[in-house]
Amino acid sequence: MTPEEADALVELAGEYVLGTLSWERRQDVESRLPHELLLAAQVARWESRLQPLADTVAPLAPSGQLWRRVSGSISVARQSVWRRWWGDIRFWRLTCGALTCAAVLLAVTLQVKVSTPALPPRFVVVLVSPVDKSPGWLVQVSADRKLRLIPLKTEPRQSDKALQLWTKAEGWSGPVSLGLLRVGEPVEVDLDNLPPLQPNQLFEITLEPPQGSPIDRPTGPILSIGRAVAT
């Protein structure tokens, strides 16, 4: 990816998070997110950067006059659309088909909900360089308590050093090592021995001796760092 393409991807992710894209472009971005890890990483990065700003803004209740204007506009639009659909035979065919599919889907959903417990939330972490803020790794934690670490760029290998992944949540006495990494290779880590993941939980990758840190703390420089965001 060229620097221009990378900049365009960052800008697109920012506009998506801010909500300034047109409906068509927003739908296009949403369809790309499950398959384009770099785009998903940039979206998660923008969300983690902007959410603290959103939390500082107090909710503002709309005035009564504004609500009346919105309600009137919606009523007019609904009446116009409804008259057009009411006389269209395709609308009734689609309605019948949709109701049939909905009934089948509801039956399957109810069966699944009865047989399976509720799943905990999922989290994503974009680990960025503390120097230039470029994304280096994408962390995905799914409901099965599996952490998947995906490299987003190529880093130089150092034969006399190793990469070590750490995490620390609020209230912990110190960071916990999640193991050593291989440069440029994805890895999966089982989190069953750790407490449930928390929003804003810290993750970082440090440069350590070949066998890892000799103590239960990072000893080398931080290469990538980020915090967990619920998805």
Side-chain angles (χ1 to χ4, degrees), residues 145 172 191-198 201:
R145 299 278 291 159
W172 292 13
L191 299 180
D192 285 342
N193 295 327
L194 290 179
L197 201 65
Q198 304 176 21
Q201 183 163 331

Side-chain angles (χ1 to χ4, degrees), residues 23-211:
W23 173 255
E24 291 77 12
R25 293 193 66 193
R26 184 172 184 84
Q27 292 294 102
D28 177 63
V29 172
E30 289 180 351
S31 67
R32 292 167 56 186
L33 286 177
H35 313 291
E36 298 187 25
L37 295 179
L38 284 175
L39 179 59
Q42 291 297 341
V43 168
R45 182 185 176 192
W46 274 105
E47 288 176 341
S48 64
R49 291 173 60 188
L50 297 177
Q51 186 59 47
L53 297 177
D55 293 339
T56 62
V57 179
L60 181 62
S63 65
Q65 181 181 2
L66 177 59
W67 274 123
R68 288 191 294 272
R69 290 177 57 191
V70 172
S71 178
S73 300
I74 293 175
S75 298
V76 171
R78 284 178 176 174
Q79 291 173 7
S80 176
V81 172
W82 180 247
R83 291 194 191 99
R84 185 169 62 253
W85 284 358
W86 184 265
D88 193 339
I89 187 63
R90 292 173 300 178
F91 166 73
W92 294 107
R93 289 174 179 171
L94 289 174
T95 301
C96 292
L99 290 175
T100 302
C101 293
V104 174
L105 180 60
L106 179 60
V108 173
T109 302
L110 289 176
Q111 183 178 2
V112 171
K113 285 187 175 181
V114 170
S115 58
T116 58
L119 297 176
R122 298 179 178 183
F123 294 86
V124 65
V125 188
V126 181
L127 300 180
V128 302
S129 166
V131 178
D132 59 8
K133 305 302 180 183
S134 61
W137 300 78
L138 176 65
V139 179
Q140 296 175 326
V141 182
S142 56
D144 59 2
R145 299 278 291 159
K146 299 289 186 181
L147 180 148
R148 295 170 179 85
L149 186 66
I150 303 168
L152 300 178
K153 66 178 181 180
T154 302
E155 296 183 2
R157 296 176 182 267
Q158 299 187 38
S159 58
D160 60 337
K161 295 291 182 179
L163 304 182
Q164 192 163 358
L165 177 64
W166 305 83
T167 186
K168 183 181 183 300
E170 185 176 356
W172 292 13
S173 59
V176 174
S177 173
L178 298 179
L180 300 180
L181 311 174
R182 292 183 178 180
V183 175
E185 295 185 15
V187 67
E188 183 174 283
V189 180
D190 195 329
L191 299 180
D192 285 342
N193 295 327
L194 290 179
L197 201 65
Q198 304 176 21
N200 210 40
Q201 183 163 331
L202 179 68
F203 286 82
E204 65 182 27
I205 296 175
T206 59
L207 194 63
E208 302 291 345
Q211 304 303 321

